[in-house]
Amino acid sequence: MTESQTEESLIPNVTYFNVRGRAEVIRIILEENSTAYTERRISIDEWPDVKSNFTFGQIPVYEEGGLLLNQPNAIYRYLGRKFDMYGDSMLEHVRCDMVQEIFVDAQNNIGDFYWNPEFEKLRDDYEKNELPPLLTRIQDLLVTNPIDSGFWVGSRLSFVDIIAWHFLDHVRPFSMKTLQQFEKLCQFKEMIESRPRIAAYLDSDRRPKTLTVSLSPFGGTPETS
Ligand SMILES: N[C@@H](CCC(=O)N[C@@H](CS)C(=O)NCC(=O)O)C(=O)O
Protein backbone atom coordinates (compact mmCIF):
# COMPACT_ATOMS: atom_id res chain seq x y z
CA MET A 1 0.00 0.00 0.00
CA THR A 2 1.39 3.43 -0.94
CA GLU A 3 1.55 6.34 1.44
CA SER A 4 -1.28 8.18 -0.32
CA GLN A 5 -3.52 5.08 -0.18
CA THR A 6 -2.91 4.88 3.57
CA GLU A 7 -3.82 8.54 4.01
CA GLU A 8 -6.91 8.08 1.87
CA SER A 9 -8.17 5.17 3.94
CA LEU A 10 -7.97 7.35 7.05
CA ILE A 11 -10.32 9.93 5.59
CA PRO A 12 -13.52 9.57 7.61
CA ASN A 13 -16.68 8.44 5.88
CA VAL A 14 -20.13 9.24 7.22
CA THR A 15 -23.09 7.15 6.10
CA TYR A 16 -26.54 8.62 6.66
CA PHE A 17 -29.66 9.78 4.87
CA ASN A 18 -29.50 12.94 2.74
CA VAL A 19 -30.77 15.01 5.67
CA ARG A 20 -29.21 16.81 8.62
CA GLY A 21 -30.63 14.58 11.35
CA ARG A 22 -28.23 12.71 13.58
CA ALA A 23 -25.30 13.12 11.18
CA GLU A 24 -25.25 16.90 11.22
CA VAL A 25 -23.27 17.24 14.45
CA ILE A 26 -20.66 14.88 12.96
CA ARG A 27 -20.45 16.91 9.75
CA ILE A 28 -20.15 20.22 11.60
CA ILE A 29 -17.39 18.96 13.93
CA LEU A 30 -15.43 17.70 10.91
CA GLU A 31 -15.99 21.00 9.09
CA GLU A 32 -14.94 23.05 12.11
CA ASN A 33 -11.71 21.04 12.23
CA SER A 34 -11.06 21.39 8.48
CA THR A 35 -11.08 17.62 8.16
CA ALA A 36 -11.69 16.15 4.73
CA TYR A 37 -14.44 13.51 4.80
CA THR A 38 -16.54 11.53 2.41
CA GLU A 39 -20.20 10.70 2.70
CA ARG A 40 -22.58 8.05 1.57
CA ARG A 41 -26.08 9.48 1.55
CA ILE A 42 -28.75 6.83 1.33
CA SER A 43 -32.14 7.70 -0.12
CA ILE A 44 -35.26 6.71 1.77
CA ASP A 45 -36.29 4.53 -1.22
CA GLU A 46 -32.98 2.67 -1.18
CA TRP A 47 -32.99 2.19 2.61
CA PRO A 48 -35.16 -0.99 2.92
CA ASP A 49 -32.75 -2.80 0.55
CA VAL A 50 -29.59 -1.84 2.42
CA LYS A 51 -30.75 -1.63 6.05
CA SER A 52 -29.69 -5.20 6.82
CA ASN A 53 -26.12 -4.43 5.71
CA PHE A 54 -25.71 -2.31 8.85
CA THR A 55 -24.99 -4.23 12.02
CA PHE A 56 -27.77 -2.60 14.01
CA GLY A 57 -29.91 -1.73 10.99
CA GLN A 58 -29.47 1.97 11.77
CA ILE A 59 -27.40 4.93 10.72
CA PRO A 60 -25.35 7.14 11.10
CA VAL A 61 -22.25 5.01 10.76
CA TYR A 62 -18.80 6.59 11.05
CA GLU A 63 -15.76 4.91 9.48
CA GLU A 64 -12.12 5.92 9.78
CA GLY A 65 -9.42 3.48 8.77
CA GLY A 66 -10.35 0.23 10.52
CA LEU A 67 -12.68 1.98 12.95
CA LEU A 68 -16.41 1.53 12.42
CA LEU A 69 -18.73 3.27 14.87
CA ASN A 70 -22.50 3.13 15.37
CA GLN A 71 -24.54 5.20 17.79
CA PRO A 72 -24.41 8.93 17.17
CA ASN A 73 -23.64 9.95 20.73
CA ALA A 74 -20.63 7.64 20.91
CA ILE A 75 -19.46 9.13 17.60
CA TYR A 76 -19.84 12.69 18.96
CA ARG A 77 -17.80 11.80 22.07
CA TYR A 78 -15.14 10.15 19.94
CA LEU A 79 -14.82 13.28 17.80
CA GLY A 80 -14.76 15.40 20.97
CA ARG A 81 -11.73 13.44 22.17
CA LYS A 82 -10.07 13.26 18.78
CA PHE A 83 -10.26 17.02 18.20
CA ASP A 84 -9.61 18.08 21.79
CA MET A 85 -13.13 19.41 22.19
CA TYR A 86 -14.01 17.65 25.46
CA GLY A 87 -13.16 20.23 28.15
CA ASP A 88 -9.90 20.87 29.97
CA SER A 89 -10.43 19.11 33.31
CA MET A 90 -12.35 16.26 34.91
CA LEU A 91 -15.10 18.71 35.90
CA GLU A 92 -15.38 20.08 32.39
CA HIS A 93 -15.35 16.57 31.02
CA VAL A 94 -18.32 15.52 33.16
CA ARG A 95 -20.14 18.76 32.36
CA CYS A 96 -19.77 17.84 28.66
CA ASP A 97 -21.34 14.46 29.44
CA MET A 98 -24.21 16.05 31.37
CA VAL A 99 -24.92 18.66 28.70
CA GLN A 100 -24.84 15.96 26.02
CA GLU A 101 -27.45 13.89 27.89
CA ILE A 102 -29.67 16.93 28.39
CA PHE A 103 -29.69 17.52 24.66
CA VAL A 104 -30.41 13.85 23.95
CA ASP A 105 -33.65 14.37 25.90
CA ALA A 106 -34.36 17.78 24.37
CA GLN A 107 -33.70 16.53 20.85
CA ASN A 108 -35.92 13.49 21.39
CA ASN A 109 -38.63 15.79 22.74
CA ILE A 110 -38.71 18.07 19.71
CA GLY A 111 -38.01 15.20 17.28
CA ASP A 112 -40.97 13.19 18.58
CA PHE A 113 -43.15 16.27 18.25
CA TYR A 114 -42.08 16.90 14.63
CA TRP A 115 -42.82 13.27 13.83
CA ASN A 116 -46.16 13.18 15.66
CA PRO A 117 -48.95 12.33 13.16
CA GLU A 118 -51.07 14.89 15.03
CA PHE A 119 -48.43 17.59 14.67
CA GLU A 120 -50.83 20.20 13.20
CA LYS A 121 -53.31 19.70 16.01
CA LEU A 122 -50.60 19.92 18.68
CA ARG A 123 -48.39 22.70 17.32
CA ASP A 124 -50.01 25.64 19.16
CA ASP A 125 -49.97 23.85 22.47
CA TYR A 126 -46.33 22.80 22.03
CA GLU A 127 -45.28 26.31 21.06
CA LYS A 128 -47.12 27.92 23.95
CA ASN A 129 -46.84 25.41 26.76
CA GLU A 130 -43.99 22.97 26.10
CA LEU A 131 -41.27 24.81 24.25
CA PRO A 132 -40.85 27.86 26.55
CA PRO A 133 -40.26 25.83 29.74
CA LEU A 134 -37.88 23.54 27.86
CA LEU A 135 -35.87 26.52 26.57
CA THR A 136 -35.98 28.13 30.03
CA ARG A 137 -34.41 25.06 31.61
CA ILE A 138 -31.81 24.91 28.85
CA GLN A 139 -30.87 28.59 29.13
CA ASP A 140 -30.70 28.30 32.94
CA LEU A 141 -28.18 25.53 32.48
CA LEU A 142 -26.09 27.46 29.97
CA VAL A 143 -25.47 30.22 32.50
CA THR A 144 -24.28 27.74 35.14
CA ASN A 145 -20.98 27.49 33.26
CA PRO A 146 -18.74 29.02 35.98
CA ILE A 147 -16.62 30.61 33.26
CA ASP A 148 -19.04 33.04 31.67
CA SER A 149 -17.71 32.39 28.17
CA GLY A 150 -20.98 31.89 26.31
CA PHE A 151 -19.89 28.29 25.60
CA TRP A 152 -21.56 25.42 27.38
CA VAL A 153 -18.37 24.15 28.98
CA GLY A 154 -15.27 26.05 30.07
CA SER A 155 -13.72 28.80 28.03
CA ARG A 156 -13.63 27.31 24.54
CA LEU A 157 -15.56 25.31 21.96
CA SER A 158 -16.46 21.74 22.88
CA PHE A 159 -18.38 19.09 20.98
CA VAL A 160 -21.46 19.74 23.13
CA ASP A 161 -21.65 23.29 21.78
CA ILE A 162 -22.27 21.76 18.37
CA ILE A 163 -24.93 19.45 19.82
CA ALA A 164 -26.59 22.42 21.57
CA TRP A 165 -26.44 24.52 18.40
CA HIS A 166 -27.97 21.70 16.38
CA PHE A 167 -30.91 21.49 18.81
CA LEU A 168 -31.49 25.26 18.68
CA ASP A 169 -31.34 25.13 14.90
CA HIS A 170 -34.24 22.66 15.06
CA VAL A 171 -36.27 25.15 17.08
CA ARG A 172 -35.54 27.96 14.57
CA PRO A 173 -37.84 26.92 11.69
CA PHE A 174 -40.66 25.99 14.04
CA SER A 175 -40.74 29.07 16.27
CA MET A 176 -38.08 31.70 15.85
CA LYS A 177 -40.24 34.07 17.85
CA THR A 178 -40.07 31.77 20.89
CA LEU A 179 -36.33 31.33 20.50
CA GLN A 180 -35.89 35.10 20.35
CA GLN A 181 -37.23 35.37 23.87
CA PHE A 182 -34.07 33.63 25.09
CA GLU A 183 -31.30 36.14 24.72
CA LYS A 184 -28.43 34.00 25.97
CA LEU A 185 -29.43 31.10 23.74
CA CYS A 186 -29.63 33.43 20.74
CA GLN A 187 -26.22 34.93 21.53
CA PHE A 188 -24.81 31.43 21.79
CA LYS A 189 -26.41 30.35 18.53
CA GLU A 190 -25.04 33.36 16.67
CA MET A 191 -21.57 32.87 18.16
CA ILE A 192 -21.42 29.30 16.83
CA GLU A 193 -22.84 29.95 13.38
CA SER A 194 -20.56 32.93 12.83
CA ARG A 195 -17.41 30.85 13.26
CA PRO A 196 -15.87 31.07 9.77
CA ARG A 197 -15.70 27.36 8.93
CA ILE A 198 -19.16 26.64 10.28
CA ALA A 199 -20.60 29.69 8.49
CA ALA A 200 -19.01 28.49 5.23
CA TYR A 201 -20.50 25.02 5.69
CA LEU A 202 -23.97 26.31 6.54
CA ASP A 203 -23.87 28.38 3.38
CA SER A 204 -22.62 25.55 1.18
CA ASP A 205 -24.30 22.93 -0.99
CA ARG A 206 -22.70 20.28 1.18
CA ARG A 207 -25.33 20.89 3.82
CA PRO A 208 -28.47 18.75 3.37
CA LYS A 209 -31.55 20.82 2.67
CA THR A 210 -33.85 19.34 5.29
CA LEU A 211 -33.78 18.47 8.99
CA THR A 212 -35.26 15.08 8.37
CA VAL A 213 -36.82 12.85 5.72
CA SER A 214 -39.96 13.85 3.85
CA LEU A 215 -42.17 11.44 5.82
CA SER A 216 -42.06 13.75 8.83
CA PRO A 217 -44.97 16.21 9.32
CA PHE A 218 -42.44 18.96 10.11
CA GLY A 219 -38.77 19.33 9.13
CA GLY A 220 -39.00 17.19 6.02
CA THR A 221 -39.09 20.07 3.53
CA PRO A 222 -36.67 22.98 2.91
CA GLU A 223 -39.45 25.37 3.99
CA THR A 224 -39.72 23.72 7.41
CA SER A 225 -35.96 23.41 7.80
N1 LIG B 1 -29.77 4.66 19.01
C1 LIG B 1 -29.48 5.62 18.00
C2 LIG B 1 -29.86 5.06 16.68
C3 LIG B 1 -29.73 5.92 15.46
C4 LIG B 1 -31.06 6.02 14.76
O1 LIG B 1 -32.11 6.07 15.42
N2 LIG B 1 -31.03 6.08 13.41
C5 LIG B 1 -32.23 6.24 12.63
C6 LIG B 1 -32.15 7.51 11.80
S1 LIG B 1 -31.98 8.93 12.79
C7 LIG B 1 -32.35 5.11 11.64
O2 LIG B 1 -31.36 4.50 11.25
N3 LIG B 1 -33.59 4.85 11.20
C8 LIG B 1 -33.87 3.90 10.18
C9 LIG B 1 -34.32 2.58 10.70
O3 LIG B 1 -34.30 2.34 11.93
O4 LIG B 1 -34.72 1.75 9.87
C10 LIG B 1 -30.16 6.92 18.40
O5 LIG B 1 -31.13 6.89 19.18
O6 LIG B 1 -29.71 7.99 18.04
Side-chain angles (χ1 to χ4, degrees):
M1 194 182 268
T2 67
E3 206 170 283
S4 69
Q5 278 174 318
T6 311
E7 271 170 26
E8 238 168 65
S9 67
L10 286 175
I11 291 178
N13 181 72
V14 181
T15 301
Y16 196 59
F17 298 113
N18 187 17
V19 302
R20 298 173 196 159
R22 286 176 160 98
E24 194 65 357
V25 168
I26 303 171
R27 297 182 185 111
I28 295 178
I29 295 175
L30 294 171
E31 295 277 346
E32 169 64 20
N33 288 284
S34 299
T35 299
Y37 61 100
T38 55
E39 288 192 76
R40 177 180 173 198
R41 292 189 183 176
I42 299 175
S43 76
I44 197 72
D45 296 335
E46 185 192 356
W47 178 243
D49 295 333
V50 299
K51 179 177 162 77
S52 63
N53 298 342
F54 297 91
T55 318
F56 295 97
Q58 288 195 317
I59 43 181
V61 166
Y62 177 93
E63 291 163 272
E64 185 194 297
L67 180 68
L68 191 153
L69 296 176
N70 296 97
Q71 296 294 350
N73 284 288
I75 300 169
Y76 308 159
R77 286 194 290 275
Y78 167 72
L79 295 176
R81 291 189 184 97
K82 179 181 166 86
F83 293 116
D84 187 22
M85 295 170 72
Y86 210 140
D88 288 320
S89 64
M90 181 73 98
L91 285 180
E92 289 188 4
H93 187 95
V94 74
R95 186 171 158 89
C96 281
D97 292 343
M98 179 183 72
V99 170
Q100 180 177 25
E101 298 292 338
I102 279 155
F103 281 104
V104 168
D105 290 351
Q107 191 69 45
N108 284 340
N109 182 301
I110 203 162
D112 288 351
F113 166 58
Y114 287 179
W115 274 90
N116 193 313
E118 299 200 21
F119 172 83
E120 284 303 334
K121 202 172 121 198
L122 300 173
R123 63 182 301 160
D124 289 347
D125 182 60
Y126 189 88
E127 185 174 29
K128 216 166 107 204
N129 301 319
E130 279 210 48
L131 190 55
L134 177 62
L135 293 177
T136 300
R137 284 197 300 276
I138 285 174
Q139 181 165 271
D140 287 351
L141 183 69
L142 173 60
V143 298
T144 62
N145 180 2
I147 302 170
D148 186 19
S149 59
F151 295 110
W152 279 85
V153 180
S155 58
R156 64 191 183 90
L157 186 76
S158 69
F159 76 101
V160 295
D161 289 311
I162 308 302
I163 294 174
W165 181 86
H166 179 60
F167 167 76
L168 296 175
D169 201 53
H170 268 68
V171 176
R172 172 190 49 74
F174 173 65
S175 188
M176 192 59 196
K177 73 169 195 262
T178 308
L179 190 53
Q180 277 166 342
Q181 291 162 21
F182 295 86
E183 195 188 343
K184 294 271 182 197
L185 293 181
C186 288
Q187 283 168 1
F188 163 79
K189 189 168 180 298
E190 281 162 25
M191 175 177 75
I192 299 301
E193 62 203 24
S194 61
R195 293 175 76 87
R197 292 177 200 141
I198 294 180
Y201 169 68
L202 297 181
D203 204 29
S204 74
D205 287 342
R206 299 193 294 287
R207 187 172 205 222
K209 301 282 177 279
T210 61
L211 299 180
T212 185
V213 296
S214 57
L215 304 171
S216 166
F218 190 86
T221 62
E223 296 70 35
T224 58
S225 299

